[in-house]
Amino acid sequence: MTEFQLFHDIVTDPFDYARNWKEANRRKIVGHFCSYTPEEIIHAAGALPFRIFGSGEAISRSDEHLQAYSCSFVRSALADALSGKLAFLDGTVFPHTCDTIQRLSDIWRINLTFGFHSDIGLPVKLDTASAREYLKSVFKKFKNELSGHLDCTITTDDLQRAAGLYNRMRSDMKQMFDLRRENPSLISSNDLQALVKASMIMDREVFSEKLSAILRDLSAIKPQPSQSLKRLVLSGGMCNIPSVHSLIEDCGAAIVWDDSCSGARYFEGSIAPHGDIIESIAERYMDKIECPAKHTDLFRRGEALVNIAKNNKADGVIFLFLKFCDPHAFDYPYVKELLVKEGIASMLLEIEAPLPSEEQLKTRCQAFLETL
């Protein structure tokens, strides 16, 4: 759809968008790597939160610093930084997530000199009162550090406005996913993927306005008779390969939900508008379904995926993991077992940039769909 072309353009060349935005707005840009980064605080500081995805170009530049068995996302991001593509950043934030991102933080600090460097020590175990209090203190410390790095004052009103904006964005993105679930022919998953990724890159106020307008137009379209497509849920970490969604759908499937950190897990939940606003922001990050680099209990993630598959009337689940992503690989056996117990078929696709033969992936997808 032409309405989504802006998002595709931004996702295709996020660096050009960021450089132009910075020049036009005379404001700062803060890079980050994870959906646990409190973007609301960065936005309240007047800066643009910029999710680093990795361009996949000249990835071998990172071989001097990272093992070849690090995931292609981290290797690609470091290669982009070393080549100067991220020189527009005024700082970079590293939340405590997987081991590879934590080690990337050290490598980044030692070898790159542009902008400030901030580590956010998030708790790993999220189901205790002490972890909840700890995360609130971490976010308050981050707010104060960010004020110093960006030479600005972050007021309660700034944070309230940022929380309100992010609540609108997340609610609208959830509605967009719901529309597609009910009527997959309305929006291609490729368009939806571009929209979610653009929401992590572009000016959030502009994005929210564009999204609301598209949502109004799509909501007015009467549902069309659905095609006999197999309904699939995707589950995994960050997907930085846009062609995968189209490739799966070209095999005769409809992706009715995307349970990934570059999908629904990015916009899940909302911030309570009352009480201490920093604490309300922290509460959302505590309560959303965790990624496998975090922990609440033994089965919460798996049970959540089973419910997602059932609620979306999915015929099957495709696990879409970046190669060498240890946290997702560690969780996979028990999550798959829960799906098997519920009679939900699944398939694991390990990917990395650049993609292997497209025909090879298509053959695997087609074979899986034939079993459903």
Side-chain angles (χ1 to χ4, degrees), residues 169-355:
M169 281 173 42
R170 287 167 179 148
S171 173
D172 285 351
M173 282 194 277
K174 169 73 166 47
Q175 285 189 54
M176 193 70 84
F177 268 56
D178 288 342
L179 277 176
R180 177 171 166 72
R181 172 177 57 196
E182 300 304 322
N183 188 3
S185 65
L186 196 61
I187 319 160
S188 76
S189 65
N190 198 32
D191 285 343
L192 207 53
Q193 175 73 177
L195 181 147
V196 177
K197 282 189 173 179
S199 75
M200 307 179 204
I201 295 169
M202 65 187 290
D203 186 305
R204 304 304 194 266
E205 292 174 1
V206 174
F207 172 80
S208 182
E209 290 174 6
K210 300 284 185 189
L211 175 59
S212 296
I214 294 174
L215 191 56
R216 279 195 299 273
D217 293 343
L218 292 178
S219 299
I221 298 175
K222 291 182 178 177
Q224 300 296 315
S226 59
Q227 299 173 279
S228 57
L229 301 172
K230 298 296 182 184
R231 296 170 65 88
L232 297 179
V233 167
L234 297 189
S235 181
M238 201 276 292
C239 178
N240 59 349
I241 305 173
S243 58
V244 169
H245 291 70
S246 297
L247 185 149
I248 293 172
E249 291 201 328
D250 288 347
C251 295
I255 299 171
V256 293
W257 202 260
D258 183 353
D259 169 52
S260 69
C261 71
S262 52
R265 286 211 305 277
Y266 172 67
F267 58 76
E268 185 186 53
S270 62
I271 302 165
H274 49 73
D276 184 305
I277 187 62
I278 288 282
E279 294 188 1
S280 294
I281 291 170
E283 293 282 356
R284 174 188 170 268
Y285 287 88
M286 289 293 292
D287 293 337
K288 74 190 190 102
I289 296 297
E290 70 273 18
C291 81
K294 301 284 179 292
H295 178 78
T296 53
D297 64 30
L298 291 177
F299 304 109
R300 185 172 185 241
R301 281 200 69 252
E303 290 170 346
L305 182 58
V306 167
N307 289 332
I308 287 170
K310 289 182 175 178
N311 294 339
N312 288 283
K313 300 176 183 174
D315 296 298
V317 172
I318 291 183
F319 292 97
L320 198 59
F321 296 166
L322 280 177
K323 201 169 185 180
F324 305 120
C325 179
D326 289 343
H328 279 281
F330 185 81
D331 263 14
Y332 171 68
Y334 102 84
V335 176
K336 176 181 170 61
E337 186 178 343
L338 289 182
L339 292 174
V340 169
K341 285 180 180 177
E342 296 294 331
I344 302 170
S346 66
M347 178 180 72
L348 170 60
L349 278 183
E350 275 194 317
I351 59 172
E352 66 176 343
L355 271 179

Side-chain angles (χ1 to χ4, degrees), residues 61 76-87 89 108 112 114:
R61 287 189 68 121
S76 177
L78 180 61
D80 287 344
L82 291 170
S83 65
K85 290 179 180 173
L86 295 172
L89 294 179
W108 201 281
L112 297 164
F114 54 85

Side-chain angles (χ1 to χ4, degrees), residues 108-170:
W108 201 281
R109 181 189 296 107
I110 293 168
N111 293 283
L112 297 164
T113 56
F114 54 85
F116 67 85
H117 188 106
S118 181
D119 290 300
I120 304 180
L122 304 175
V124 173
K125 201 167 183 299
L126 302 178
D127 60 340
T128 65
S130 59
R132 198 168 286 269
E133 292 307 309
Y134 173 72
L135 182 61
K136 292 173 183 175
S137 68
V138 166
F139 278 7
K140 289 177 181 177
K141 179 172 178 282
F142 175 64
K143 177 206 144 191
N144 294 333
E145 287 181 351
L146 192 63
S147 295
H149 290 313
L150 298 180
D151 192 23
C152 68
T153 300
I154 305 174
T155 67
T156 299
D157 287 344
D158 294 332
L159 290 164
Q160 290 280 10
R161 282 193 292 274
L165 173 63
Y166 272 83
N167 277 348
R168 287 195 300 278
M169 281 173 42
R170 287 167 179 148

Side-chain angles (χ1 to χ4, degrees), residues 9-56:
D9 292 343
I10 290 170
V11 169
T12 300
D13 193 347
F15 310 131
D16 186 57
Y17 174 84
R19 285 189 293 266
N20 290 335
W21 183 90
K22 186 169 185 173
E23 184 177 349
N25 294 277
R26 303 293 178 189
R27 288 161 59 187
K28 297 179 179 176
I29 302 178
V30 177
H32 70 90
F33 292 90
C34 176
S35 58
Y36 276 89
T37 303
E39 286 190 6
E40 302 89 343
I41 300 175
I42 298 172
H43 179 86
L48 177 68
F50 182 89
R51 180 74 177 264
I52 299 169
F53 290 106
S55 67

